[in-house]
Each structure stands twice: as structure tokens, then as C-alpha cells.
Amino acid sequence: MLWWTLLTVLLTVSSGVVAVKPGFKARITEHALEYANHQAIDALAAMVPKASIPDQSGSSGDVDYTLSNIRITGFNKPSSSIKIVPGTGLKWSAANAGVSLHADWRVKYKKGWFKVSTSGSVDVSANGIGFSVTMALGDDSSGRPAISSAGCSCSVGGVDIHIHGDIAFIVNLFKHEIEKRVRSMIPGKLCDVVNQQINANAENQLKKLKVMTPLANKKFMLDYRLVSAPAFQSAYMETFHKGEITWTANPQTPPFSPPAIPPYAPSSNMLYLWVEKYVPQSFLYAAQQNGYLRYNLTTKDLPPNNRGFLNTTCSGWSQCIGHLLPAVGKKYPNTTVELQMLSTSLPAVNMSPGKLEASFAGEIALYANTPSVKKPYLLTLSVSAIFNMSAGIVDQLVKGNISGSSFKVAVKESAVGPLSSKVMNTMVGLAMKLFIIPEINKQGEKGFPLPVTGDIKFLNTQLHILQDALMIGTDLQYTIKF
Ligand SMILES: *[C@@H]1O[C@H](CO)[C@@H](O)[C@H](O)[C@H]1NC(C)=O
Ligand SMILES: *[C@@H]1O[C@H](CO)[C@@H](O)[C@H](O)[C@H]1NC(C)=O
Ligand SMILES: *[C@@H]1O[C@H](CO)[C@@H](O)[C@H](O)[C@H]1NC(C)=O
Ligand SMILES: *[C@@H]1O[C@H](CO)[C@@H](O)[C@H](O)[C@H]1NC(C)=O
Ligand SMILES: *[C@@H]1O[C@H](CO)[C@@H](O)[C@H](O)[C@H]1NC(C)=O
């Protein structure tokens, strides 16, 4: 033990800065980016016509002009993609968008003594519009992923102008001016809308990510904050999160750290999430350290038609303490016993391919509920139990369920004489069946949250149990309102 501690200390010191290992990892594949691209372009197509364009005025040679009431009357969606720039971030690019505008114009023409002012309207269509925007991903001060535009460029192909008005020569002088204006106006306007999409809409989505989630009446805190910058590979990007549960009133990092996440190649789904064994194990550590894994089981905790289990006097029913422990029934009749249960060591979670298990070791002490101030002590049992669990994803929550259990019982101490191990097994079996298993399943049914926003729904979801991790592969559906 000592040399092990020393070795650990030496290794820690010699390796210098110890990076925090993630307990949770998310992989966002190119399929998700493709989907996000469609969503973003649809949003853009909805936003562009609403963009307000201020009046434009200027002069050119002998012409003073004003364009007013500029409205975007149409937007042809571009072909576009969001691609990963390996090592850097994401790039959103689009080509062949088209936009049409309608505006009113007024010009004043003055040459020597000749002055004329006239007005009309104009329809402009611009095509071959493309943009390219680099998105930087990082983490904000609260440990959430953050996204921002790191530069947008836009080009315009052809511009087609139809002026409605009377004086032909003025109109012709003016046409070139409008084209120049439109060519210079579109990139700024489009980049504004694109940047807004990223800096406001996308960033707001990320802001909704719950990176600190209280659990179990706020007794515990689930920490999904980023532990390092996102990584960009060619077919996917990955984010690395703490994935740790601590006791809210006394947050402590457990004395163990997450093992390496097992490699997993497929990337046919949009999103992959790895919940390492570390996550439930840190929960159990916090629970064990802070006395959460104790419970005094009394009659009121039992299902209504099995309320008699803890009775010391039994009315003909065999699954009853008074019957199982006649000595107790004789000494303390017409009352009930209380089972004071506690976990005596850190429970373990085991994950290996296809298998999920939790094991507990604890004690159950029995006391009689007599009117006396001090409840008479009866006996103490040492119990170890293994629960086989099944896990699944329902409504973006990881839910767990006990699929089988086994336990061992030994008598640690008795104040009521010798006890039969068969009877003790029956008694603990009843406590398991009537309370412990339903209680764990009740918690498992409440589920465990994943760091996704409420706007996202999972589709085609599967959960795999790997070595030391659960892996969830899923497609996504957003229901974002623009
Ligand atoms: C159970 O009862 C004992 C004795 O009354 C008490 O000390 C202990 O705090 C109780 N445990 C819980 C979890 O309520
Ligand atoms: C248990 O005791 C209660 C009263 O304390 C009684 O109403 C009930 O019938 C008893 N159940 C059994 C199974 O003996
Ligand atoms: C237990 O309760 C029953 C009915 O209430 C009563 O007849 C009996 O005398 C009681 N036994 C003792 C030992 O108090
Ligand atoms: C839990 O297990 C029970 C029976 O073993 C089953 O009926 C139920 O559907 C399971 N629930 C989940 C969420 O797996
Ligand atoms: C738990 O699962 C293992 C295999 O993973 C199996 O051998 C064992 O019988 C199961 N126990 C129970 C109680 O279902």
C-alpha cells in the first residue's frame, strides 16, 4: 500500500502538469454537420428577407441619387456545406445563392443650366453569391462550448437591373451606379446575417447546454464542463467533458480518475456520446463519502400489501419477521422492527462489453420499535450484493434497470441467539424484493441527463456497453424555432 502510494506520488510529480482526463466525450460527425448545415441554410433563407437595408444615397458625376424602401423580395438557397478544418474548427461555405431586391429611386441630374429630378423603382437580381465563414469553437468561462464567427467573406457573381422610370439617358447613367452599390452592399449584409446566425443563434443554443446539473434534490452536482479544447479530425469533431458527480455541499474530486476511453471507429450516426464508468463511480464515491448510502427501512417504506413484513407478531403470514425470527417475536411482540442499512465500502461499477454491474457491501442492523427511548438492538448482518443492470435511452436520458441480482449474507453479531443462514437469506431476499430493488429501479427510471439541450431529440439511438464506458450512438432532430 505504501509503495503504491509513493509510486503514484512520484509518477504524478515526474509527469509535471497532469491534464484532467475526460469522464465524458462527445463526437459530432460530419452527418451532424450536414444536418446542421441544412438547418442553418433554412434559417438563413428565413432571415435574409427580413434583413433591413438602410436607404442608400450618393452622387456620381452629375447625378445625385437615393435608393429607398429597399426590400429583399427573394432568396434562392445556395448549395452549402459545413466542413471540418482538421486541427482548426469548422468552415461553413455556400455557393450560388441568388437574391432579388426591389427599391424606389430618385435622382437629381444637373448639367449646366439643365436640371431634372425624377423617380421610379428598380428590380435587382444578383446571382452567383457565395460566402465562406470560419467558425471558431472553444470554451467560455463557465466551461461550456462556445462558437463564434472568425471571419466571413462573400462574393457576388452577376447583377441584373431593371429600372422602371422615364428618362432613358438618366436611367442609363444611373444603372452602373446601382450595380456598384448592390455589389458592395450584398457581402456586408449577407455576412451580417451569417455572423448573426453563428454568434447569436448557434451560440444561444450552446448557452442552453446544461454543463452543471443538480441531481437528487440538488444533493449532487453533475459536471459536464469542458476539460480541454475541442479536437477536429477529418470526419468528426470531439468535445471532452469532466463527467463527474460530486456532493453539492462538499464537492471533492474522487481519488481515482477516468480510464482511457476505448477506441471506437464507426461514425455513421450524427452523434456519439461516451459515458465513462467514472461518472457513476464518482456518484457512488460522493454518495458513500457523504453518508447518502444509508437508509432506515420501516413499515411505511413497504408496498401496502406487504406491510406486514416487519411485524414481530404475524397473523398467519410466513413472510414476516415474527415468523422468521421467533425469538424476536417472543421478546418484542405486537411491534415492528427497523432495518438500518448502510453501505460500508465504496460500491463498484463494472462495465465490460454487453455487461453492466454494480456491487455493494454493507450491513443491515435490526432494532425493535418499542416505546422505549432506546430501540432494543437485535442483530447485524453483513451483506454483499451484485446487481446486473440493463441500460437504455429514453427521451435523451440514460435509464437503468436491475435485470438480476445476487447477494450473500453473513451474521456479524446477534443479541437474539443463534440465527439460521437460510432464514437470514430469506429475510434479506425480502428486503431486496420489497424495497431495495424497487427503490434502485425508481431512481434508474428517473434517468440520468446527458448534456444536450431541450431542442434536440434523439433518433435511431443505440446504447452499447463497452469496456469501462457506455457508448450512445444517435441521430438528431432539432426543433429550433427561428
Ligand atoms: C437511522 O437510525 C439511527 C438510530 O436512530 C440514526 O442514528 C441514523 O441517523 C438513522 N439513519 C438515517 C439514514 O436516517
Ligand atoms: C402487522 O401489524 C399490524 C398492526 O401493527 C396489523 O394491522 C397487520 O395486520 C400485521 N400484519 C401481519 C401480516 O401480521
Ligand atoms: C398483542 O395484541 C393483541 C391484539 O391487539 C392482544 O390480544 C395481545 O394480548 C397482544 N400481545 C401482547 C404480548 O401484548
Ligand atoms: C426494466 O426491467 C423490467 C423487467 O425486468 C422491464 O419490464 C422494463 O421494461 C425495464 N425498463 C427499462 C427502462 O429497461
Ligand atoms: C448477472 O450476469 C452474469 C453475466 O453477465 C450472469 O452470469 C449472472 O447469472 C447474472 N446474475 C443474475 C443474478 O442475474
Side-chain angles (χ1 to χ4, degrees):
M1 194 61 208
L2 180 64
W3 71 261
W4 176 247
T5 309
L6 279 174
L7 186 67
T8 311
V9 168
L10 287 174
L11 283 175
T12 311
V13 170
S14 61
S15 65
V17 182
V18 184
V20 178
K21 289 196 192 133
F24 180 89
K25 181 172 90 163
R27 176 182 294 179
I28 297 144
T29 70
E30 51 193 355
H31 303 295
L33 298 177
E34 206 177 293
Y35 182 64
N37 169 52
H38 283 133
Q39 300 287 317
I41 284 293
D42 285 351
L44 193 70
M47 281 169 83
V48 165
K50 291 184 202 148
S52 71
I53 302 175
D55 292 355
Q56 308 277 317
S57 55
S59 55
S60 162
D62 304 318
V63 180
D64 287 338
Y65 65 87
T66 305
L67 288 171
S68 56
N69 300 322
I70 309 172
R71 282 176 295 124
I72 295 171
T73 51
F75 180 70
N76 289 334
K77 279 195 242 173
S79 54
S80 65
S81 64
I82 297 179
K83 292 261 181 267
I84 298 166
V85 186
T88 311
L90 302 174
K91 189 173 185 165
W92 186 20
S93 48
N96 282 324
V99 63
S100 44
L101 305 168
H102 182 87
D104 296 330
W105 59 266
R106 169 170 295 279
V107 298
K108 283 185 191 143
Y109 177 78
K110 191 170 137 222
K111 184 137 193 175
W113 54 267
F114 182 74
K115 281 185 202 165
V116 67
S117 83
T118 183
S119 62
S121 66
V122 59
D123 284 302
V124 181
S125 63
N127 53 51
I129 302 171
F131 67 81
S132 165
V133 56
T134 308
M135 293 180 259
L137 276 114
D139 50 343
D140 69 9
S141 55
S142 56
R144 246 184 221 100
I147 189 167
S148 60
S149 162
C152 170
S153 64
C154 175
S155 59
V156 180
V159 175
D160 209 19
I161 294 173
H162 291 280
I163 295 181
H164 315 289
D166 10 81
I167 306 171
F169 81 97
I170 291 181
V171 164
N172 281 330
L173 284 173
F174 183 47
K175 204 164 176 170
H176 172 67
E177 211 34 55
I178 294 189
E179 179 171 348
K180 246 170 56 188
R181 273 283 163 168
V182 167
R183 280 189 180 277
S184 69
M185 193 174 72
I186 288 177
K189 210 64 217 178
L190 191 59
C191 278
D192 276 358
V193 175
V194 167
N195 287 338
Q196 193 192 339
Q197 266 284 94
I198 299 164
N199 296 339
N201 292 3
E203 175 59 13
N204 283 343
Q205 282 301 310
L206 290 181
K207 281 219 171 83
K208 286 192 207 161
L209 268 186
K210 289 203 192 98
V211 291
M212 295 295 269
T213 309
L215 302 176
N217 289 326
K218 303 193 180 142
K219 285 200 172 65
F220 298 87
M221 188 61 82
L222 168 57
D223 184 346
Y224 276 130
R225 288 177 296 181
L226 295 175
V227 293
S228 55
F232 301 92
Q233 314 294 343
S234 56
Y236 54 79
M237 57 172 284
E238 291 185 329
T239 55
F240 308 94
H241 307 251
K242 199 158 191 183
E244 183 179 280
I245 299 174
T246 51
W247 186 252
T248 310
N250 175 27
Q252 267 183 332
T253 297
F256 45 83
S257 55
I261 291 175
Y264 189 82
S267 54
S268 57
N269 281 124
M270 293 185 188
L271 179 70
Y272 291 86
L273 303 171
W274 281 261
V275 180
E276 289 211 47
K277 177 174 108 169
Y278 182 73
V279 181
Q281 194 70 75
S282 66
F283 163 74
L284 290 170
Y285 177 76
Q288 179 67 29
Q289 290 294 103
N290 294 284
Y292 188 71
L293 300 177
R294 321 171 157 241
Y295 195 81
N296 291 348
L297 176 62
T298 60
T299 299
K300 68 172 178 8
D301 298 309
L302 298 170
N305 40 4
N306 296 99
R307 283 267 149 85
F309 167 47
L310 298 174
N311 283 16
T312 54
T313 303
C314 310
S315 46
W317 190 54
S318 63
Q319 297 194 325
C320 166
I321 294 282
H323 184 85
L324 296 167
L325 301 171
V328 172
K330 207 162 172 192
K331 202 163 171 196
Y332 307 105
N334 283 355
T335 185
T336 58
V337 298
E338 177 171 318
L339 266 53
Q340 299 187 359
M341 309 186 288
L342 71 102
S343 159
T344 48
S345 61
L346 175 62
V349 177
N350 281 310
M351 294 177 180
S352 58
K355 187 171 152 189
L356 177 60
E357 234 179 48
S359 44
F360 293 82
E363 284 175 7
I364 301 179
L366 274 69
Y367 291 83
N369 279 315
T370 59
S372 66
V373 181
K374 202 164 176 293
K375 292 173 187 164
Y377 167 75
L378 305 174
L379 59 106
T380 304
L381 305 173
S382 299
V383 180
S384 62
I386 299 181
F387 298 104
N388 286 358
M389 313 279 299
S390 63
I393 304 286
V394 183
D395 294 336
Q396 292 77 242
L397 295 168
V398 181
K399 297 198 173 182
N401 202 348
I402 294 179
S403 57
S405 63
S406 60
F407 61 86
K408 284 196 189 115
V409 184
V411 177
K412 194 180 172 206
E413 204 184 326
S414 171
V416 291
L419 298 162
S420 123
S421 60
K422 185 161 171 267
V423 166
M424 293 307 107
N425 266 301
T426 305
M427 195 175 80
V428 172
L430 282 167
M432 288 278 182
K433 186 177 112 185
L434 299 179
F435 178 74
I436 299 172
I437 292 174
E439 197 55 31
I440 295 176
N441 279 340
K442 209 156 85 192
Q443 298 308 318
E445 180 52 33
K446 282 189 189 152
F448 169 84
L450 294 165
V452 293
T453 74
D455 297 323
I456 282 177
K457 293 227 174 318
F458 286 0
L459 286 182
N460 312 323
T461 308
Q462 339 96 46
L463 181 147
H464 301 281
I465 306 167
L466 309 179
Q467 188 61 45
D468 297 332
L470 299 180
M471 198 220 39
I472 298 142
T474 187
D475 290 336
L476 303 173
Q477 189 177 37
Y478 300 151
T479 47
I480 301 176
K481 326 244 169 346
F482 294 103

